[in-house]
Amino acid sequence: MEGKKKSLEQMLFEFAGQPTASNSAKNYKVFMEHWDEIQAEHQKGWSYLMIWKAMTAASALTFSYPTFTSYIRKVERRQEKAVLNKGPQQRPVKIGRAEVGQGNPSPTKVDLPSFGGSAEQRKPRHF
C-alpha cells in the first residue's frame, strides 16, 4: 500500500491535535497556524503585544504573552538559520601555505608576520 509520504511537519501537526499531545505542542500548533497572519500584521506596523492582545481577546490564542514571544523568537531563529545556510559557501582564502580561518599548527618563518623592521634592525645592540 503505497501512499503519499507525510512530511515531518504534517506528522507534528497531526500529533499536536491529538489528546495525548502536550499543551505546549498544541499551543505551538495554533501559533504556527496563525504565523503568516501574525507576521503580515507586524510588518504593517502592529506590535506583537497588540497582535497577541487582539488574538487572545478573540480566543484565537489561549497562552501567555511570554510564550507568544518565545515562539516568535524560535521561528525567527529558524528563518535566520535557513537564510544563512542557503547563502554562498565561502572557501578559505590561501595566504602562502596557510589558509586563513583554518589555523596552522606549525607555521614557518614565511607564514609569520614580520614585526620591528628588517633583520638588521632587529639585531641586539651592545653598548
Side-chain angles (χ1 to χ4, degrees), residues 52-80:
W52 175 79
K53 284 182 177 183
M55 293 181 81
T56 53
S59 299
L61 301 178
T62 58
F63 46 87
S64 69
Y65 182 67
T67 300
F68 181 73
T69 57
S70 73
Y71 291 158
I72 292 168
R73 284 190 303 273
K74 185 177 186 176
V75 171
E76 288 177 345
R77 275 194 304 265
R78 284 184 181 166
Q79 289 174 344
E80 288 172 6

Side-chain angles (χ1 to χ4, degrees), residues 76-122:
E76 288 177 345
R77 275 194 304 265
R78 284 184 181 166
Q79 289 174 344
E80 288 172 6
K81 273 187 176 180
V83 168
L84 291 175
N85 290 337
K86 289 182 183 177
Q89 298 295 324
Q90 294 182 350
R91 292 185 172 172
V93 179
K94 284 197 171 197
I95 299 176
R97 295 183 330 174
E99 293 181 358
V100 173
Q102 300 297 318
N104 189 352
S106 56
T108 64
K109 274 189 167 185
V110 175
D111 297 328
L112 297 174
S114 172
F115 297 104
S118 68
E120 192 63 35
Q121 292 172 333
R122 287 192 304 269

